[in-house]
Amino acid sequence: MKSEPIILTSDPLDEADFDVSGRAMERALRARLVRRTRLALGLSQAAFAQRFHVPVGTLRDWEQARATPPDFAMAYMRVIARHPELVIEATA
């Protein structure tokens, strides 16, 4: 199997980040958004999953780019990033 060139190198400030090939670019960008949203709130994966009603295994898969979050999940992450308290209140 021919190795694909890396088009996005890992973020040196994020130890969980990884290099990305062209084929994996969208999945990687989505993984970064999910992880950065959680980290900006200072929450562990388990705490984030519980607070925002996302299965912890699903969150892990998204963050590690083992699965691609669907568009609705990405919209949810963007709302959480901008208005976390509003989402907590709405999902209570």
Side-chain angles (χ1 to χ4, degrees), residues 40-52:
L41 296 172
L43 297 172
S44 67
Q45 287 178 335
F48 185 94
Q50 182 178 10
R51 185 167 296 174
F52 296 107

Side-chain angles (χ1 to χ4, degrees), residues 1-81:
M1 180 172 165
K2 186 176 176 183
S3 179
E4 250 190 282
I6 300 301
I7 63 169
L8 181 65
T9 58
S10 63
D11 180 349
L13 302 176
D14 183 352
E15 65 185 42
D17 205 15
F18 46 87
D19 291 339
V20 179
S21 67
R23 182 177 297 163
M25 179 61 124
E26 182 179 355
R27 190 172 66 234
L29 289 174
R30 288 177 179 229
R32 281 185 180 182
L33 177 71
V34 172
R35 189 172 52 258
R36 286 180 176 167
T37 298
R38 178 181 61 79
L39 292 174
L41 296 172
L43 297 172
S44 67
Q45 287 178 335
F48 185 94
Q50 182 178 10
R51 185 167 296 174
F52 296 107
H53 306 280
V54 177
V56 72
T58 299
L59 181 66
R60 285 186 189 121
D61 286 347
W62 290 348
E63 286 193 11
Q64 295 171 6
R66 287 191 299 232
T68 303
D71 292 342
F72 77 86
M74 294 310 298
Y76 187 47
M77 288 297 149
R78 288 183 188 100
V79 173
I80 291 169

